[in-house]
């Protein structure tokens, strides 16, 4: 939530910042702003709306600067408006800063600062930081910043400029993502890699309670005792192209199409040529893995749905019971945590505040945490005992697609790993499963080739005011995920339900105005789905069915059929999901919505 960028170097500062902001716009997009230092004065421009508005306003202005910062906002305190947009300044206009996070004690601080004469210009929690630094500032801005940070409760990633130190950017973080990019005669601050990939792949992951001072040729990191500390420079695995649209109308579509390739990458990463699983960096003892008595999975949103599918996979191939919890619920309940438990956190970004809070809670119980994550070096990966990367590349579309199927594939492979260690799977069965999994990328491509048909079905259904998604067994979570995709990007109310629950309530919703997406692929419970379909038809609900290729019987009941290739039910979520992603995408796209930046959403939810 909120994207921040800072730059110091010889390039055109405004264009580096604007471009960086555009690549961070997925993090929040209700207002944007920029501050640059020009001739020892701070020039600020900010706008309600998209970065393109800010860009247009800056075209007319000539600025000569070597240092500046920018922000794209997802409002928490104060409505989206010009006055609430970042950067914010102190009373004298000598300090400007951008912030991602929430200052929980800002009310109290604001009151105290007002009593001391500070004039506030916005309703944001952020503005207190600028005034506090100004209050503490005597000779060293860094010392003033550290004093300020010690007063704050909450989360922050900050970038700061100051007229007395026109060559230096200051930055600090606590519970909000932040990286420092190291270039040649230039350095960067950013919330996330896409903002700086074009310029450098060398990054420093600033840790919580660290402050950095950055000039174009130097980066120095300090702790809260104002003591200089060493840091590590990492190399990002992404290339610039992986964060570009490559001719697709939207990132979301590009990311849907990337899925077969990502799954193949995961095979290369986590399978040996002879078809055994290899998780070389698992960092968990074999003995521990062999004797796991319970797995608890925590995650939010789409990643939570992956966890739910994970429960079906793990429980059907191992003897380990699995509990899946929403991170936001887990963190405030009293979980029963027993020895020999493994705790799995799933997250695309690795920065989701609730998931981080959940693992911090579990850490107090001395339980091992394995994270399944897409973003290298993210907070989640730094705080876990063990990491499995999903290798999906940067996911820019706000609605998660490729990260989800990559999470599923990791869960399949991890399950096989555990089952093999526990001697539950014999060689023949393992071989058979791996052979089925290896077919998936090819089968997903078949679905993608069929996308015109899905688009046409979408066209015929976009006028429906509400959708119900029904699935059973391993495709119950798929129904939840399909409904989530549709509501996120098309704003049509959509509810996912376990089909067996239909008679316990949702059937009351069904009439000729309700569209129902039924997942009825070949499986042991296929006939049960058919019964549900007949019940919906009897109430004149309009059905779109996902069925397995070759199923002619279904035509007796339903006209609108999306066929998926034949696959065992256990692996079908990897195919059904792709059809539902395309279905949601085309409904939103044809309706003319900004698919990559749905209203009110932000890509990584770094506040509670
Ligand atoms: C839905 C979506 C969100 C995320 C959720 C968790 O399309 O993107 O529901 O899945 O916010 O985010 P991560 O996976 O980054 O923890």
């Amino acid at each position: 939530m909120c994207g921040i960028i800072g730059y110091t170097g010889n390039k055109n500062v405004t264009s580096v910042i604007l471009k960086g902001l555009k690549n961070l716009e997925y993090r929040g997009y209700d207002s944007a702003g920029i501050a640059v230092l020009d001739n020892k004065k701070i020039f600020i421009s900010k706008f309600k709306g998209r970065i393109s508005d800010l860009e247009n306003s800056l075209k007319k202005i000539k600025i000569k600067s070597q240092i500046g910062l920018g922000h794209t906002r997802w409002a928490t305190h104060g409505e989206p408006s010009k006055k609430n947009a970042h950067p914010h300044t102190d009373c004298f206009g000598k300090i400007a800063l951008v912030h991602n996070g929430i200052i929980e004690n800002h009310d109290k601080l604001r009151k105290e600062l007002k009593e001391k004469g500070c004039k506030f210009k916005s309703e944001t929690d952020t503005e207190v930081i600028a005034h506090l630094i100004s209050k503490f500032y005597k000779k060293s801005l860094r010392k003033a910043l550290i004093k300020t940070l010690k007063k704050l409760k909450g989360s922050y990633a900050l970038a700061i400029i100051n007229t007395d130190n026109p060559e230096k950017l200051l930055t600090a973080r606590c519970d909000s993502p932040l990286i420092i990019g190291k270039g040649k005669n230039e350095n960067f601050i950013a919330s996330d890699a896409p903002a700086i990939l074009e310029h450098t792949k060398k990054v420093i992951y600033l840790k919580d309670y660290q402050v950095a001072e950055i000039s174009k040729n130097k980066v120095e990191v300090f702790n809260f005792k104002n003591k200089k500390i060493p840091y590590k420079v990492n190399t990002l695995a992404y290339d610039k192209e992986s964060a570009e649209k490559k001719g697709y109308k939207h990132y979301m579509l590009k990311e849907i199409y990337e899925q077969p390739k990502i799954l193949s990458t995961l095979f290369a990463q986590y399978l040996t040529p002879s078809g055994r699983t290899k998780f070389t960096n698992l960092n968990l003892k074999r003995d521990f893995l062999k004797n796991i008595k319970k797995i608890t999975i925590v995650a939010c949103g789409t990643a939570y749905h992956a966890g739910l599918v994970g429960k079906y996979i793990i429980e059907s191939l191992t003897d380990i019971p699995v509990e899946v919890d929403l991170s936001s619920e887990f963190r405030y309940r009293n979980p029963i945590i027993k020895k020999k438990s493994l705790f799995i956190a799933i997250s695309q970004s690795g920065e989701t505040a609730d998931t981080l809070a959940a693992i911090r809670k579990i850490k107090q119980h001395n339980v091992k945490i394995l994270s399944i994550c897409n973003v290298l070096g993210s907070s989640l990966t730094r705080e876990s005992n063990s990491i499995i990367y999903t290798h999906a590349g940067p996911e820019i579309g706000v609605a998660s697609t490729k990260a989800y199927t990559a999470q599923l594939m990791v869960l399949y492979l991890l399950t096989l790993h555990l089952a093999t260690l526990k001697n539950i799977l014999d060689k023949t069965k393992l071989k058979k499963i791996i052979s089925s999994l290896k077919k998936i990328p090819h089968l997903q491509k078949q679905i993608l080739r069929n996308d015109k048909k899905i688009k046409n079905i979408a066209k015929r259904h976009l006028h429906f005011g509400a959708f119900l998604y029904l699935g059973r067994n391993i495709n119950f979570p798929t129904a939840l995920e399909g409904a989530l995709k549709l509501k996120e990007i098309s704003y049509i109310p959509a509810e996912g339900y376990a089909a067996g629950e239909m008679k316990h309530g949702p059937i009351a919703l069904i009439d000729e105005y309700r569209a129902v997406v039924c997942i009825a692929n070949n499986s042991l419970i296929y006939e049960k789905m058919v019964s549900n379909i007949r019940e919906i038809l009897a109430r004149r609900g309009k059905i779109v069915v996902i069925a397995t290729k070759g199923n002619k019987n279904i035509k007796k009941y339903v006209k609108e059929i999306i066929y998926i290739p034949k696959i065992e039910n256990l692996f079908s979520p990897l195919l059904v999901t792709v059809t539902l992603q395309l279905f949601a995408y085309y409904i939103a796209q044809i309706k003319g919505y900004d698919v990559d930046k749905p209203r009110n959403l932000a890509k990584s939810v770094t506040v509670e």
Side-chain angles (χ1 to χ4, degrees):
M1 302 199 142
C2 299
I4 68 172
I5 180 161
Y7 175 71
T8 170
N10 300 327
K11 290 180 182 147
N12 180 327
V13 174
T14 44
S15 75
V16 171
I17 291 176
L18 285 170
K19 213 148 180 224
L21 283 181
K22 277 187 195 159
N23 291 334
L24 287 178
E25 212 177 3
Y26 64 89
R27 302 182 67 87
Y29 31 83
D30 58 45
S31 48
I34 185 167
V36 295
L37 260 167
D38 187 8
N39 206 11
K40 289 205 163 189
K41 282 206 174 98
I42 293 176
F43 166 83
I44 292 188
S45 178
K46 42 195 199 175
F47 272 86
K48 180 182 169 186
R50 295 289 164 89
I51 286 152
S52 46
D53 300 328
L54 178 68
E55 190 173 27
N56 288 336
S57 81
L58 288 169
K59 274 185 191 149
K60 298 162 216 146
I61 301 162
K62 289 248 170 307
I63 308 164
K64 256 179 89 192
S65 171
Q66 300 219 311
I67 193 161
L69 34 91
H71 187 267
T72 175
R73 183 169 185 246
W74 187 88
T76 58
H77 294 67
E79 59 168 10
S81 66
K82 186 169 173 164
K83 79 170 180 194
N84 288 332
H86 299 214
H88 292 288
T89 54
D90 65 323
C91 290
F92 313 103
K94 290 180 71 141
I95 296 163
L97 58 84
V98 289
H99 167 222
N100 170 28
I102 286 187
I103 306 305
E104 287 159 9
N105 57 338
H106 78 103
D107 271 338
K108 183 174 165 270
L109 294 170
R110 178 182 277 254
K111 200 165 158 251
E112 287 168 9
L113 285 160
K114 272 187 173 171
E115 279 163 12
K116 287 183 186 151
C118 285
K119 297 264 177 290
F120 278 79
K121 298 176 280 289
S122 76
E123 300 154 66
T124 63
D125 52 337
T126 302
E127 201 182 333
V128 297
I129 309 174
H131 291 297
L132 272 176
I133 299 174
S134 173
K135 283 272 166 237
F136 290 130
Y137 181 35
K138 290 202 173 81
K139 280 191 195 133
S140 156
L141 193 73
R142 189 174 71 232
K143 276 191 186 162
L145 174 62
I146 293 172
K147 267 191 171 173
T148 300
L149 300 178
K150 286 182 178 165
K151 288 238 163 217
L152 303 181
K153 279 195 190 137
S155 57
Y156 51 80
L158 294 167
I160 305 160
I161 50 171
N162 159 238
T163 51
D164 291 347
N165 302 277
E167 274 135 41
K168 274 184 190 161
L169 285 165
L170 265 181
T171 183
R173 75 157 269 176
C174 174
D175 288 346
S176 286
L178 190 121
I179 53 174
I180 298 169
K182 281 200 94 189
K184 214 172 165 197
N185 297 325
E186 59 179 2
N187 287 313
F188 306 79
I189 297 169
S191 299
D192 200 358
I196 57 168
L197 267 180
E198 186 179 329
H199 309 281
T200 181
K201 284 195 206 168
K202 301 272 177 227
V203 298
I204 301 159
Y205 297 110
L206 202 67
K207 295 189 181 129
D208 284 349
Y209 310 111
Q210 287 186 347
V211 169
E213 230 171 53
I214 302 163
S215 54
K216 69 179 176 188
N217 292 311
K218 201 152 114 196
V219 176
E220 291 179 308
V221 178
F222 301 85
N223 62 19
F224 269 19
K225 290 186 182 143
N226 201 20
K227 200 172 154 239
K228 198 148 99 185
I229 45 174
Y231 56 80
K232 192 174 155 217
V233 181
N234 303 271
T235 307
L236 290 168
Y238 305 148
D239 53 22
K240 180 171 153 280
E241 289 72 35
S242 60
E244 287 174 353
K245 254 192 244 171
K246 285 196 196 152
Y248 286 91
K249 201 174 168 73
H250 292 103
Y251 280 110
M252 181 176 174
L253 191 62
K254 175 193 161 227
E255 288 160 5
I256 291 173
Y257 269 79
E258 280 174 343
Q259 293 175 102
K261 198 167 155 223
I262 293 163
L263 299 193
S264 302
T265 307
L266 290 172
F267 297 143
Q269 284 287 333
Y270 302 128
L271 286 177
T272 64
S274 62
R276 294 184 74 83
T277 50
K278 56 158 186 179
F279 287 102
T280 33
N281 296 324
L282 213 47
N283 203 20
L284 294 170
K285 291 206 172 94
R286 247 177 110 85
D287 237 31
F288 166 73
L289 292 170
K290 271 165 91 167
N291 292 304
I292 293 171
K293 293 280 174 283
K294 185 183 166 190
I295 291 177
T296 301
I297 302 179
V298 290
C300 300
T302 288
Y304 169 69
H305 297 156
L308 291 175
V309 177
K311 177 179 167 71
Y312 285 91
I313 304 170
I314 298 168
E315 288 186 348
S316 66
L317 294 175
T318 74
D319 57 359
I320 311 170
V322 181
E323 177 186 44
V324 190
D325 221 328
L326 289 160
S327 310
S328 52
E329 286 299 313
F330 183 88
R331 65 182 289 187
Y332 293 116
R333 76 175 171 89
N334 198 12
I336 313 288
I337 297 162
K338 297 240 165 98
K339 276 191 186 151
K340 298 191 180 169
S341 290
L342 174 66
F343 193 82
I344 302 180
I346 308 177
S347 173
Q348 188 285 127
S349 63
E351 302 293 350
T352 300
D354 283 322
T355 303
L356 289 172
I359 67 156
R360 285 170 194 153
K361 174 171 182 148
I362 204 81
K363 264 182 165 176
Q364 294 161 5
H365 296 266
N366 218 3
V367 173
K368 299 279 182 225
I369 298 159
L370 184 160
S371 62
I372 297 177
C373 188
N374 199 35
V375 179
L376 219 94
S378 55
S379 304
L380 181 65
T381 63
R382 290 204 302 268
E383 294 187 31
S384 305
N385 304 91
S386 169
I387 311 153
I388 305 181
Y389 284 107
T390 40
H391 295 290
E395 193 179 59
I396 311 285
V398 165
S400 186
T401 52
K402 61 176 181 174
Y404 179 69
T405 45
Q407 286 158 357
L408 295 190
M409 186 52 85
V410 164
L411 285 161
Y412 284 107
L413 297 176
L414 176 66
T415 305
L416 296 183
H417 194 66
L418 295 176
T420 316
L421 282 174
K422 282 174 164 278
N423 271 330
I424 293 173
L425 267 187
D426 62 47
K427 269 192 188 153
T428 328
K429 193 155 181 219
L430 177 70
K431 231 173 144 185
K432 198 166 166 257
I433 293 175
I434 299 240
S435 140
S436 296
L437 284 175
K438 284 201 159 171
K439 283 185 204 148
I440 301 279
H442 172 68
L443 301 179
Q444 284 186 335
K445 282 186 195 159
Q446 288 182 17
I447 294 173
L448 295 170
R449 279 199 290 272
N450 191 27
D451 107 326
K452 255 208 183 107
K453 168 119 203 247
I454 299 174
K455 185 174 181 177
N456 285 334
I457 297 184
K459 258 186 209 163
R460 294 196 287 272
H461 288 81
L462 48 83
H463 62 282
F464 280 93
F467 277 72
L468 190 63
Y469 282 67
L470 297 178
R472 280 174 183 261
N473 193 264
I474 199 162
N475 280 312
F476 158 46
T478 315
L480 297 178
E481 176 58 11
L484 178 64
K485 285 291 91 81
L486 186 72
K487 71 184 123 185
E488 279 184 294
I489 59 172
S490 74
Y491 319 129
I492 300 173
E495 216 176 336
Y497 242 94
E501 278 290 291
M502 191 177 80
K503 287 200 235 7
H504 300 284
I507 199 162
L509 296 172
I510 291 169
D511 60 19
E512 64 266 48
Y513 306 110
R514 171 82 47 172
V516 188
V517 177
C518 295
I519 304 169
N521 58 304
N522 289 1
S523 72
L524 281 177
I525 32 88
Y526 169 74
E527 289 303 335
K528 308 273 173 210
M529 272 314 296
V530 173
S531 303
N532 289 130
I533 287 171
R534 299 186 71 158
E535 288 154 9
I536 298 161
L537 289 175
R539 287 154 186 88
R540 303 205 300 197
K542 297 291 179 290
I543 297 179
V544 174
V545 76
I546 317 287
T548 305
K549 215 174 192 166
N551 177 354
K552 293 198 179 113
N553 160 284
I554 198 77
K555 291 187 181 167
K556 281 198 287 193
Y557 311 109
V558 187
K559 269 205 220 117
E560 302 284 20
I561 307 167
I562 303 173
Y563 280 114
I564 59 160
K566 251 191 197 143
I567 190 82
E568 294 89 325
N569 188 42
L570 183 64
F571 312 114
S572 61
L574 287 164
L575 301 186
V576 179
T577 303
V578 180
T579 65
L580 298 183
Q581 291 168 347
L582 285 170
F583 183 66
Y585 171 79
Y586 282 118
I587 289 189
Q589 188 251 306
I590 300 164
K591 276 176 162 263
Y593 293 130
D594 188 348
V595 174
D596 285 334
K597 298 187 192 83
R599 71 180 180 210
N600 304 338
L601 294 179
K603 184 76 187 156
S604 59
V605 184
T606 53
V607 293
E608 194 179 344

